[in-house]
Amino acid sequence: MPRTIPGLHHVTAISGPPQANVDFYTGTLRQRLVKKTVNFDDPGTYHLYYGDEAGSPGTILTFFPFADAGPGRAGPGMASAYAYAVPKDGFYGWMERLAERAIDFDGPTERFGSRVITLRDPDGAPVELIETDRDSADPLDGFHSVTLWERDLAPTARLLTEVFGYAEAGHETVEGVERLRLAAPGTARGAVIDLMRSDAPSIGRQGAGTIHHVAFRAETDEVQREWQDRLAQVGHPTTPVIDRQYFNAIYFREPGGVLFEIATDPPGFAVDEDAAHLGEALKLPARYEPHRARIEQVLPPLKVPA
Ligand code: ZN
């Protein structure tokens, strides 16, 4: 059997000022801040990671918060939304919670037979909550899916089916928006990718409220090396392996233009702090430790709601 991708590892997006981002994802959406570190390419800005209690693959949403980021907008060639899986019987509770907090949302609408509501984070990023029959003690069971906005669905669909091992799981057109659903085999979190094509002309622009890249899982470093070889063979050479401290990463652009990453499950977020205290202290990779005082001076203070 050829290897298959089990699902999403993480999604990385761009935000404006970090405090509003922390308040929304930990407060409103009840995610845990599992890592507070810096952008490894720009240590004067944060890199914030949210996830379930352990920061499990398939639950992780990360942000580069730029205090002065201009607003972006999604368009063809970009990932345009991320969707969380609402566990069985939890959908109504989420609508109530949002209403109580005076947080506006669209819907519920129906997508492939499941109810969906869409809210906006403080930077306008569309966050979808999709009703599922998954059993979970968590308020949200990690990602359900990501939507990729494409000019042409076929080339990306081919990559996902012929190389990653996904299968077509639905195809519908609602109000001029065509959506092709692809699902990884198995029941991992974030096993679904929706490819979307819209009749509405649009030009995307990276900025606050947009998704920077979508990362898929490799179970081990060895599996990641196999993906690197396989992708090179099929005309999608990747970057070399880059050490991201909590996982190793390779990147390439899928045919429609979205930046894809393949990230390893190990070592995970407990590699540099106690699992019980994830996200509480500012963590720096070894090469930035000598500059900690300066970095802490530049970063705005952050308060995580209890
Ligand atoms: Zn990434």
Side-chain angles (χ1 to χ4, degrees):
M1 277 284 286
R3 216 172 256 300
T4 58
I5 294 270
L8 296 170
H9 183 281
H10 66 268
V11 174
T12 292
I14 299 166
S15 80
Q19 187 64 59
N21 186 259
V22 170
D23 290 346
F24 180 81
Y25 285 97
T26 64
T28 301
L29 284 187
R30 304 180 66 189
Q31 300 301 290
R32 184 178 189 191
L33 180 69
V34 292
K35 194 62 63 180
K36 185 166 66 175
T37 183
V38 293
N39 183 337
F40 290 179
D41 302 316
D42 175 12
T45 62
Y46 281 113
H47 192 182
L48 303 176
Y49 291 76
Y50 304 96
D52 69 355
E53 204 58 18
S56 311
T59 73
I60 306 158
L61 178 62
T62 99
F63 284 92
F64 294 123
F66 293 104
D68 56 355
R73 51 176 289 161
M78 293 169 72
S80 58
Y82 37 85
Y84 283 104
V86 176
K88 192 178 167 70
D89 302 328
F91 198 74
Y92 187 76
W94 270 102
M95 288 200 288
E96 267 187 330
R97 176 179 174 82
L98 296 173
E100 274 163 16
R101 295 182 153 237
I103 291 168
D104 201 18
F105 57 86
D106 293 332
T109 56
E110 220 169 84
R111 184 183 297 168
F112 299 112
S114 295
R115 288 189 293 175
V116 183
I117 55 175
T118 304
L119 51 155
R120 299 269 164 183
D121 84 355
D123 296 293
V127 182
E128 299 171 334
L129 304 184
I130 300 186
E131 182 175 34
T132 71
D133 56 7
R134 294 175 76 92
D135 283 311
S136 173
D138 292 335
L140 294 172
D141 189 35
F143 289 122
H144 172 279
S145 54
V146 163
T147 297
L148 309 182
W149 189 341
E150 304 284 5
R151 281 186 188 80
D152 181 6
L153 305 188
T156 306
R158 267 201 304 275
L159 169 71
L160 288 166
T161 55
E162 292 172 11
V163 183
F164 281 11
Y166 283 53
E168 188 170 327
H171 195 184
E172 65 181 24
T173 300
V174 178
E175 292 171 1
V177 175
E178 180 187 3
R179 193 176 278 274
L180 175 63
R181 172 156 294 182
L182 301 163
T187 57
R189 290 159 166 152
V192 172
I193 296 285
D194 280 355
L195 304 183
M196 182 191 89
R197 203 184 59 77
S198 170
D199 291 337
S202 179
I203 304 251
R205 183 179 66 238
Q206 284 290 342
T210 63
I211 297 168
H212 186 264
H213 65 265
V214 174
F216 295 86
R217 282 175 66 188
E219 295 88 334
T220 65
D221 289 303
E222 178 56 38
V223 170
Q224 185 183 57
R225 270 191 292 277
E226 289 177 28
W227 282 117
Q228 206 173 18
D229 291 345
R230 175 103 170 89
L231 285 161
Q233 278 164 18
V234 297
H236 295 292
T238 69
T239 63
V241 175
I242 299 172
D243 179 358
R244 294 302 187 194
Q245 183 86 358
Y246 310 107
F247 45 83
N248 285 321
I250 56 174
Y251 302 85
F252 70 102
R253 264 187 213 281
E254 58 87 21
V258 181
L259 185 61
F260 275 10
E261 172 183 345
I262 295 179
T264 54
D265 287 357
F269 294 98
V271 70
D272 62 356
E273 61 188 334
D274 191 279
H277 296 280
L278 294 179
E280 291 173 14
L282 177 70
K283 303 308 291 184
L284 298 175
R287 69 179 187 276
Y288 291 139
E289 272 302 342
H291 310 291
R292 174 175 282 273
R294 171 94 185 100
I295 289 171
E296 286 181 344
Q297 216 172 36
V298 169
L299 293 170
L302 269 189
K303 206 170 167 302
V304 181

